[in-house]
Amino acid sequence: MSTARVDARRRSIRFDGRTVTLRIDTTSMGILPDRADHPFPVAKLTAVRHREATAWKLGEITFEAPDAPTGIVENVPLFADKLPGNVFRYEYSKRARVKEFLEAVDKARKK
């Protein structure tokens, strides 16, 4: 199965058929670029909450799992969103790709 991927606002989500990975761009020592990966195995996901993007409001996906990081990620680069480690926000123009991504995740969760 090919990997589904959506990039937005210095975060990206990938799905390889078994695991959803939320990758967050961060900084190390204040200036050095770094990344933090938060994997969510489909078998452990208890819920995937989705608020669709509109022309005036960003869309948001929240992955809920027993060990999901819910603390705010503070060491993000300039102009990046300070969000919990289980939240992905996206723009209106990414709606179709996010819809395909969520359909693939839902299909895997039902197996």
Side-chain angles (χ1 to χ4, degrees):
M1 174 182 231
S2 65
T3 301
R5 179 180 172 147
V6 181
D7 296 309
R9 306 180 65 81
R10 296 196 182 233
R11 290 183 179 223
S12 67
I13 49 176
R14 289 188 321 252
F15 180 60
D16 64 5
R18 290 177 288 184
T19 304
V20 174
T21 304
L22 174 60
R23 176 171 277 181
I24 304 168
D25 288 347
T26 59
T27 57
S28 177
M29 297 188 312
I31 56 170
L32 300 174
D34 199 6
R35 287 201 170 125
D37 286 349
H38 298 284
F40 302 100
V42 172
K44 291 186 178 183
L45 284 175
T46 56
V48 178
R49 289 188 289 131
H50 178 232
R51 184 185 71 213
E52 193 167 329
T54 65
W56 297 276
K57 198 168 191 174
L58 295 172
E60 187 172 283
I61 302 170
T62 305
F63 299 100
E64 296 179 7
D67 55 350
T70 56
I72 302 290
V73 179
E74 294 288 338
N75 58 336
V76 294
L78 191 61
F79 304 118
D81 299 327
K82 289 187 178 181
L83 297 170
N86 64 335
V87 176
F88 177 77
R89 280 195 183 154
Y90 64 95
E91 298 91 1
Y92 182 75
S93 61
K94 311 263 184 186
R95 286 179 314 143
R97 298 218 36 202
V98 168
K99 182 179 178 184
E100 292 172 7
F101 180 89
L102 290 174
E103 287 173 353
V105 172
D106 285 340
K107 185 177 177 183
R109 286 181 68 202
K110 292 177 182 175
K111 284 185 179 181

